[in-house]
Amino acid sequence: MDHGADCGGNLARRQVVEARIALEQQHSESALAAIRAQIAERIEMCRRHLEELDGMLLDLVKSEPMTSRRFEILTSVPGIGPVTATTLLVEMRELGAANAAEIAALAGLAPMNRDSGQFRGRKMIRGGRTAARNVLYMAATVAIRWNRDLAAFYNRLRESGKPFKIAITATMRKLIVLVNTLLTEDRMWSLTPP
């Protein structure tokens, strides 16, 4: 898969999504019917463009056997749909070739120290690839409903008193490490580990 073409397609998709969100906000705040009608037309155009871009990206993914296989592995994991899989393939080409710590850091999901001299701060996530982290957030919220293992992991964290933000971030990290492992081993996700 041509990296320039898929990066451009993914960027174009993100820009259309951002434009649609901005237009939806304008639509909800506009009082004049004529302006609301014009904005609604532009929202519909964004939806059409989004469908076309999703189709083009999916065609690009499926045009190359190796990329198609990686896409198939990613979408076998409950919580990861076509948009998340495509974004991860484009934004994180290291998936399947890096170790767990490296892949978590690349996604911006590895806790980093905030220490300076004698000061010891709380560990926080930072850096990484924002587009990948954003789709992983959505995937994790779906996975905690449909993926038994990730749901159990998330629920254990919440029951032990961890705030939502920490629990969902840990689930995102577990999810990216899981898909990295599956891609490394070239195997599909299954309910029961091999």
Side-chain angles (χ1 to χ4, degrees):
M1 182 165 67
D2 177 24
H3 185 66
D6 56 4
C7 276
N10 211 43
L11 176 61
R13 186 188 192 287
R14 269 200 317 271
Q15 290 171 338
V16 170
V17 168
E18 290 167 3
R20 189 194 69 205
I21 291 168
L23 287 167
E24 287 170 348
Q25 183 66 32
Q26 290 172 9
H27 188 267
S28 70
E29 293 175 359
S30 181
L32 297 174
I35 292 173
R36 287 175 60 88
Q38 285 183 357
I39 294 171
E41 286 177 26
R42 286 185 279 177
I43 291 170
E44 185 54 38
M45 182 184 64
C46 285
R47 285 191 181 123
R48 281 194 319 273
H49 287 180
L50 198 54
E51 284 178 20
E52 291 170 13
L53 285 166
D54 284 343
M56 289 186 319
L57 285 169
L58 199 54
D59 288 346
L60 268 172
V61 164
K62 292 186 175 186
S63 69
E64 187 178 296
M66 189 174 113
T67 307
S68 182
R69 171 67 180 166
R70 290 168 58 84
F71 179 83
E72 186 181 17
I73 291 168
L74 287 172
T75 55
S76 74
V77 179
I80 297 185
V83 171
T84 300
T86 304
T87 303
L88 290 175
L89 288 171
V90 170
E91 299 290 334
M92 299 195 65
R93 293 190 169 268
E94 299 85 356
L95 272 172
N99 66 38
E102 291 168 339
I103 214 65
L106 286 170
L109 296 170
M112 302 287 184
N113 290 332
R114 292 184 57 210
D115 300 340
S116 176
Q118 297 295 320
F119 174 75
R120 299 287 177 252
R122 281 185 23 200
K123 290 184 177 186
M124 298 181 76
I125 62 166
R126 62 176 182 249
R129 301 185 183 153
T130 306
R133 191 170 52 250
N134 289 345
V135 296
L136 283 167
Y137 174 82
M138 296 308 296
T141 59
V142 173
I144 60 177
R145 294 187 64 209
W146 301 107
N147 184 317
R148 188 177 65 194
D149 296 333
L150 289 175
F153 175 75
Y154 171 81
N155 289 328
R156 268 194 316 274
L157 291 173
R158 292 293 284 153
E159 288 164 7
S160 72
K162 299 292 184 195
F164 168 78
K165 192 172 181 178
I166 290 174
I168 199 71
T169 301
T171 305
M172 291 162 62
R173 185 170 44 255
K174 191 164 183 73
L175 181 59
I176 194 67
V177 169
L178 167 67
V179 298
N180 187 58
T181 302
L182 292 175
L183 288 169
T184 301
E185 297 173 0
D186 190 33
R187 68 178 173 88
M188 306 289 267
W189 179 87
S190 65
L191 192 56
T192 54

